Amino acid sequence: MAPERAAASTIDFFRRKLLWAHLASLSQRRPISTPCVRRGRRVASPRLSAGRQRALTWRLRDLATWNGRRSTGFTEYPFKRQMATVSNVNLESRGPLEEYDERVHSHRLRDDEHQRNIVQNLQDLHDMLIDYHPPKVVHPTIESLKPQSRTFLGSLFHRNGSRQAATQISPNLPKGLYMYGDVGSGKTMLMDLFYETLPPNITSKTRTHFHNFMQDVHKRLHQMKMEHGTDLDAVTFVAADIAERGSVLCFDEFQCTDVADAMILRRLLESLMSHGVVLVTTSNRHPDDLYKNGIQRSSFIPCINLLKTRLRVINLDSTTDYRKIPRPPSGVFHHPLDKAAVSHVEKWFKFLGDPENDPPHKARHTVWGREIEVPKASGRAAMFTFNELIGKATGAADYLELMRSYDAFIITGVPGMTYRERDLARRFITFIDAVYESRAKLVLTTAVPLFQLFLSPSEAGTALEEGRKSGSVKGIEEHEDVNDVMRSLMDDLGLNMKMLKSSSIFTGDEERFAFARALSRLSEMGSQEWVERGMGLEHKGGLGEKEGWQRVRSRWREDSL
């Protein structure tokens, strides 16, 4: 076997040399005349067509920028895939959508509407990165990472657990992407498309396999603890090192199967984002399915919440309805109100409405002698801005009339509502209740995450602290972040009520219950089961499933409304 391996290694060496010669010729824009070996004979390499040269350039870029197990057209090189940080080179300033169109035109890819919708999400992030200027990375000092020493009296009046300093993520940080799907769904191709077309102002970028990334992180953490002791918050220091290497970090095959990874992952990702790093990752599973049945999984839930809040979750698996229209790859709720929010709304309106047979138009409905105007309607879908629906003097009777006329509602520009906007919040909650009771679909674009719609972080912190003092809120550790607590409360109506009851913000139990119930119902209406039910998706029965659900919903709606 030794001679055979030596021969194979020699052949691979010469093939790599030939590839680099091709790259040099392409970069100098002159004909390729590098000699090559073909079946034992030395011959001149032929001229390549423009399409073939472009394809070869992409392959060579992969080889140059990522020491991974990458196919180069000849063989696969068994390099260990490491974290590769390179200077960004996109001389043509071509975005993902333009590059996708070019590959379709050159027959390297087949045009697919579902895939094009996903590429549009890549384009949205690309457009936001054009105007993004990452902040300068500031390294924490070793002294700042060590716990503060306490006197004897100080230790008597403080809890044993020391809370880590909160990591602040800039609101200007572009929202990254989390793309998940089965094998063969195009994860690698989409990541290639995004990574190679980053805008020129992104001067450095990093791409790595997630498993190798975490190995490197643990190695660095171990080295720091050997040098400075174990009582050190080394994660933030390592995160600053990584952030200096690239302002865009791309992970291939994001997964978590190790308890050591699970315990530091949230802190690590949050620290990277605080330094202005934009994360883009692929995975085989939804964030909710990460580290499933793992040891101490409850400690990993904050990391899942961070991924779902700070990254846009995209489903790569193609799902079409009876009309052959692909279901939008993202969820129905989107924040913040960025450029991607516009395409989010357009995709869902097209899917939930019927623009081909019923082009978008204005509509009017009469309630008790007065008219309600729908700014944009198509089929059984209606679209409003928040101010057009909630900002006006509307009430329960208006919302019930809309429920009889439409099956889906798209509401854009929903703001966060504190105690100063209680009237708007009550009106919006009445609308949410009407949508929920009629089993309609709801698509939202919001300025803040859902769990901050009715309570700002400061208000939630006050309510949480009051609940701890009164003893009404139990099972929540002092070190837990307010946003983590509020996110988990959406799935626990009972705990939500206990916390809100201890707050002086609300005027009575009925109002507290309404706010808690609204969060719980929004969580349910955002689930895949709720969204896909009655949509006539092919894997659920197509048109027959849609018609059957409409009959059931019609009878149920008549009884309830």
Side-chain angles (χ1 to χ4, degrees), residues 4-255:
E4 294 177 4
R5 289 181 178 175
S9 177
T10 303
I11 292 173
D12 282 349
F13 170 78
F14 281 107
R15 283 175 172 169
R16 286 197 295 274
K17 294 286 287 183
L18 292 173
L19 285 173
W20 287 113
H22 280 304
L23 178 61
S25 298
L26 290 175
S27 63
Q28 297 174 17
R29 298 182 180 275
R30 58 183 174 82
I32 299 173
S33 58
T34 307
C36 63
V37 177
R38 185 176 299 168
R39 294 183 179 179
R41 293 184 295 109
R42 187 180 177 88
V43 298
S45 176
R47 287 177 179 263
L48 299 181
S49 65
R52 178 59 181 159
Q53 288 190 14
R54 190 178 294 107
L56 182 58
T57 302
W58 280 100
R59 290 172 180 171
L60 290 167
R61 284 179 181 176
D62 285 341
L63 182 62
T65 60
W66 184 19
N67 287 332
R69 188 175 177 83
R70 305 292 293 160
S71 172
T72 63
F74 294 102
T75 184
E76 286 191 336
Y77 302 107
F79 299 132
K80 182 179 178 182
R81 190 179 296 179
Q82 300 287 353
M83 183 160 62
T85 302
V86 298
S87 298
N88 183 36
V89 178
N90 183 10
L91 300 179
E92 298 178 356
S93 300
R94 180 179 292 173
L97 198 56
E98 187 178 355
E99 178 62 27
Y100 179 81
D101 289 335
E102 195 279 333
R103 294 189 186 188
V104 170
H105 181 71
S106 61
H107 303 291
R108 295 162 59 195
L109 290 176
R110 179 177 59 85
D111 197 7
D112 179 83
E113 187 174 356
H114 175 72
Q115 201 168 67
R116 182 175 290 278
N117 286 337
I118 296 170
V119 175
Q120 181 61 58
N121 288 286
L122 302 179
Q123 183 67 45
D124 291 338
L125 179 55
H126 177 277
D127 293 341
M128 286 186 281
L129 289 174
I130 291 176
D131 302 323
Y132 178 61
H133 300 284
K136 184 179 179 180
V137 176
V138 179
H139 259 86
T141 62
I142 297 298
E143 290 73 20
S144 68
L145 301 178
K146 294 181 178 179
Q148 296 180 352
S149 58
R150 288 178 178 169
T151 63
F152 174 74
L153 291 177
S155 63
L156 292 178
F157 295 99
H158 290 83
R159 297 181 182 268
N160 294 331
S162 61
R163 181 174 178 173
Q164 293 175 323
T167 304
Q168 297 295 327
I169 300 176
S170 170
N172 297 324
L173 179 70
K175 196 170 185 178
L177 295 174
Y178 182 104
M179 300 180 287
Y180 74 97
D182 291 335
V183 176
S185 57
K187 296 189 291 292
T188 301
M189 183 277 292
L190 291 166
M191 182 65 86
D192 290 344
L193 197 66
F194 174 77
Y195 187 74
E196 296 297 343
T197 58
L198 282 168
N201 60 297
I202 302 299
T203 57
S204 59
K205 55 186 180 180
T206 303
R207 182 174 180 180
T208 177
H209 191 281
F210 185 74
H211 177 68
N212 290 339
F213 171 78
M214 292 307 299
Q215 282 186 328
D216 181 69
V217 168
H218 284 298
K219 182 179 179 180
R220 295 181 186 216
L221 293 176
H222 177 71
Q223 290 174 345
M224 288 202 65
K225 290 180 179 180
M226 291 294 291
E227 295 177 9
H228 305 286
T230 57
D231 199 9
L232 181 78
D233 181 18
V235 173
T236 54
F237 193 91
V238 171
D241 277 344
I242 297 171
E244 278 188 329
R245 298 176 63 177
S247 55
V248 174
L249 177 56
C250 297
F251 291 131
D252 287 283
E253 303 297 338
F254 189 104
Q255 58 180 329

Side-chain angles (χ1 to χ4, degrees), residues 195-366:
Y195 187 74
E196 296 297 343
T197 58
L198 282 168
N201 60 297
I202 302 299
T203 57
S204 59
K205 55 186 180 180
T206 303
R207 182 174 180 180
T208 177
H209 191 281
F210 185 74
H211 177 68
N212 290 339
F213 171 78
M214 292 307 299
Q215 282 186 328
D216 181 69
V217 168
H218 284 298
K219 182 179 179 180
R220 295 181 186 216
L221 293 176
H222 177 71
Q223 290 174 345
M224 288 202 65
K225 290 180 179 180
M226 291 294 291
E227 295 177 9
H228 305 286
T230 57
D231 199 9
L232 181 78
D233 181 18
V235 173
T236 54
F237 193 91
V238 171
D241 277 344
I242 297 171
E244 278 188 329
R245 298 176 63 177
S247 55
V248 174
L249 177 56
C250 297
F251 291 131
D252 287 283
E253 303 297 338
F254 189 104
Q255 58 180 329
C256 184
T257 57
D258 187 81
V259 64
D261 293 348
M263 294 303 102
I264 68 167
L265 195 52
R266 181 270 175 89
R267 180 80 170 148
L268 176 63
L269 298 181
E270 197 172 48
S271 297
L272 288 170
M273 293 180 190
S274 71
H275 289 299
V277 176
V278 178
L279 299 180
V280 177
T281 182
T282 64
S283 180
N284 290 330
R285 57 190 64 193
H286 189 278
D288 287 334
D289 296 328
L290 292 171
Y291 198 52
K292 213 161 194 176
N293 302 319
I295 300 173
Q296 300 181 21
R297 189 176 189 267
S298 59
S299 301
F300 186 70
I301 297 300
C303 180
I304 294 176
N305 293 336
L306 177 70
L307 292 172
K308 292 165 62 176
T309 303
R310 293 291 177 177
L311 304 183
R312 193 175 186 189
V313 181
I314 305 295
N315 185 359
L316 302 184
D317 297 327
S318 178
T319 302
T320 58
D321 67 359
Y322 65 96
R323 302 169 296 175
K324 306 299 182 183
I325 297 179
R327 178 194 184 277
S330 59
V332 289
F333 303 142
H334 175 90
H335 93 279
L337 301 177
D338 52 16
K339 293 180 180 179
V342 177
S343 61
H344 172 83
V345 166
E346 291 174 352
K347 291 172 192 172
W348 277 106
F349 185 72
K350 178 181 178 181
F351 182 71
L352 295 172
D354 189 10
E356 290 188 2
N357 299 316
D358 185 20
H361 59 277
K362 291 184 178 181
R364 295 181 182 275
H365 303 274
T366 303

Side-chain angles (χ1 to χ4, degrees), residues 508-521:
D509 287 346
E510 184 177 349
E511 187 179 71
R512 294 187 184 99
F513 180 76
F515 278 74
R517 183 182 60 194
L519 287 176
S520 178
R521 287 183 166 181

